[in-house]
Amino acid sequence: MHNVYEISPEIFWIGGNDRRIERFENMFPLPNGVAYNSYLILDDKTAIIDTVDSSISALYLENIKHVLGGRSLDYLIINHMEPDHCANIEEIARRYPGVKIVGNKKTFQFMEQYYSLDMSSNYLEVQEGSELNLGSHTLRFYLAPMVHWPEVMFTYEVQKGILFSADAFGSFGAMAGNLFADEVEYDNQFLDEARRYYANIVGRYGSQVQAVFRKLGNLPINMICSLHGLIWRGEDIAYIMGKYDLWSRYLPEKKGIVLVYASMYGNTENAMNALAAKLAQRGVKDMRMYDVSKTHPSYIISDIFKYSHIVLGSCTYNMNLYFPMDSLLREISVLGVKDRKVAVLGNHTWASAAVKCITELLGTMKGMELITAPLDIRSTLKAGQEEELNAVADAIYASLMESGEAQ
Ligand code: FEO
């Protein structure tokens, strides 16, 4: 049966949820599934804003049919051409052959790369600031390149102040009936997954997010409708914009420490546990510790966006860096994470490489400040090295007390 929701007069959510999917982009675990949002405006003219992933096509097409109630579809607006949103374009063009497909030059380039059906006679090309009048709803288009692909644009409904923001302000996690962020315990249920989504999917494009913020600066926005996750309205808009502002400037949300270790036989793990205990004894409260071989990097990266300090501990492997740690650091570098305070702990039995490799990789990132000289262990941390470990803990604690990041 159809499942739709009128989120504002004449504007309907017609999306759906997928809880069976294992991994987003075949890479990021989705323990709580994901939502694909799409919206239909019923005015003198009818318009859909973006489609959904192929996994929920059957429900989606039923939703469209139900809301249209026998009317034709006049416009299909494409804010984003990634397949988790564009998978139903061809089918809609077949069912509603008179539909005008609204996009920018890049939109149509990507459309032709993905599809073989010639839909060029349906194209309606728009530019920055173009407007489309549906009757009592006017839609204005703002280009938002690289949030998260180059063709991305935002659609702004002028009369109600509703921003259809493509991937921006979205989240991992399926929705359970409630569509608005103010209807759920957002911080408990969604915030970590929203951060993990941002950090891993949009994280590299912080400067482009900031550019769009500047462009939309004076626009009255009463509702934000993303392509994933909950809808924002009222005072919550400032809340999520505040988070995005921090994340896109790579500023930590909190003082705290993410400790990440790579350990084959538990000796590096033991050293990290000993260090964490010393930090706790000095009064540090907010710490997260991860085994890089066990936890998917997307969760670690999410916390690295959240916290001010990082401790990296790794054994040497094949006279190089232990591969999962190497992979994690390369990912962090590609995502453009910067300006964190870092401590490094290495371990080796017969050839020291971990410390050198970690510091080299940190050197590929901006503003990664080494708080103290790396501690390089030989196989196991000995009781006689306690003073060295105390010195590392003292340096991290002092840095944490000094730094002025938001609490
Ligand atoms: Fe949800 Fe960039 O696609």
Side-chain angles (χ1 to χ4, degrees), residues 48-342:
I48 286 176
I49 301 174
D50 288 300
T51 80
V52 296
D53 188 75
S54 58
S55 59
I56 60 164
S57 291
L59 169 67
Y60 179 63
L61 294 165
E62 193 176 339
N63 283 347
I64 294 173
K65 194 173 168 189
H66 172 74
V67 176
L68 285 176
R71 292 183 62 185
S72 63
L73 180 64
D74 297 302
Y75 299 105
L76 172 59
I77 293 148
I78 306 298
N79 282 332
H80 188 14
M81 266 305 296
E82 196 163 5
D84 55 332
H85 308 295
C86 75
N88 289 272
I89 294 175
E90 257 193 355
E91 185 56 31
I92 288 178
R94 284 197 188 92
R95 290 181 178 219
Y96 306 97
V99 68
K100 285 288 170 207
I101 302 175
V102 181
N104 56 67
K105 197 170 178 180
K106 270 269 183 260
T107 315
F108 299 126
Q109 178 196 323
F110 292 174
M111 204 173 289
E112 287 164 21
Q113 288 171 206
Y114 275 108
Y115 297 117
S116 48
L117 181 70
D118 180 5
M119 297 180 276
S120 54
S121 61
N122 300 78
Y123 292 177
L124 176 61
E125 187 175 319
V126 294
Q127 277 119 28
E128 175 75 20
S130 297
E131 290 193 350
L132 183 65
N133 197 288
L134 304 179
S136 56
H137 300 271
T138 306
L139 303 179
R140 190 186 302 148
F141 304 101
Y142 292 94
L143 302 183
M146 302 316 298
V147 185
H148 137 241
W149 277 17
E151 86 297 357
V152 168
M153 59 185 198
F154 291 176
T155 298
Y156 178 67
E157 194 275 354
V158 175
Q159 286 77 9
K160 299 281 183 195
I162 301 175
L163 184 69
F164 297 92
S165 62
D167 278 337
F169 308 107
S171 176
F172 292 143
M175 299 185 288
N178 297 115
L179 293 188
F180 293 94
D182 57 36
E183 297 174 328
V184 303
E185 290 183 17
Y186 189 83
D187 281 6
N188 286 337
Q189 291 177 31
F190 280 93
L191 179 57
D192 286 345
E193 285 295 78
R195 186 187 304 102
R196 188 166 69 96
Y197 170 84
Y198 177 85
N200 290 278
I201 307 300
V202 191
R204 180 178 165 83
Y205 307 111
S207 60
Q208 289 87 347
V209 171
Q210 282 291 314
V212 169
F213 270 24
R214 284 192 292 276
K215 191 191 288 192
L216 302 180
N218 295 321
L219 216 52
I221 297 174
N222 300 315
M223 193 181 286
I224 297 178
C225 299
S226 171
L227 290 177
H228 299 286
L230 295 154
I231 297 169
W232 299 92
R233 63 184 172 187
E235 291 172 5
D236 285 345
I237 289 173
Y239 168 88
I240 193 63
M241 282 199 161
K243 294 289 183 198
Y244 260 66
D245 186 46
L246 287 177
W247 297 338
S248 58
R249 289 189 289 145
Y250 305 95
L251 293 175
E253 290 166 74
K254 293 192 79 181
K255 279 188 185 182
I257 308 173
V258 188
L259 302 103
V260 190
Y261 65 82
S263 185
M264 279 187 283
Y265 301 107
N267 294 305
T268 310
E269 177 183 6
N270 176 259
M272 291 292 271
N273 277 321
L275 177 61
K278 287 186 178 299
L279 290 164
Q281 286 154 18
R282 281 159 176 74
V284 179
K285 289 196 170 61
D286 212 347
M287 289 188 278
R288 299 284 183 277
M289 189 180 294
Y290 294 106
D291 180 338
V292 77
S293 297
K294 173 146 189 199
T295 303
H296 190 274
S298 61
Y299 292 93
I300 303 172
I301 286 167
S302 179
D303 268 351
I304 283 173
F305 268 73
K306 179 178 179 182
Y307 289 107
S308 57
H309 286 62
I310 309 167
V311 180
L312 300 166
S314 180
C315 51
T316 292
Y317 195 87
N318 278 347
M319 290 173 283
N320 242 292
L321 187 56
Y322 191 76
F323 299 149
M325 179 63 82
D326 183 88
S327 170
L328 174 72
L329 292 178
R330 287 179 195 283
E331 210 168 328
I332 291 169
S333 179
V334 167
L335 290 172
V337 178
K338 61 181 182 180
D339 300 333
R340 294 296 188 273
K341 310 279 194 303
V342 189

Side-chain angles (χ1 to χ4, degrees), residues 38-53:
S38 171
Y39 306 91
L40 199 160
I41 303 176
L42 270 188
D43 200 343
D44 296 342
K45 298 287 185 184
T46 59
I48 286 176
I49 301 174
D50 288 300
T51 80
V52 296
D53 188 75

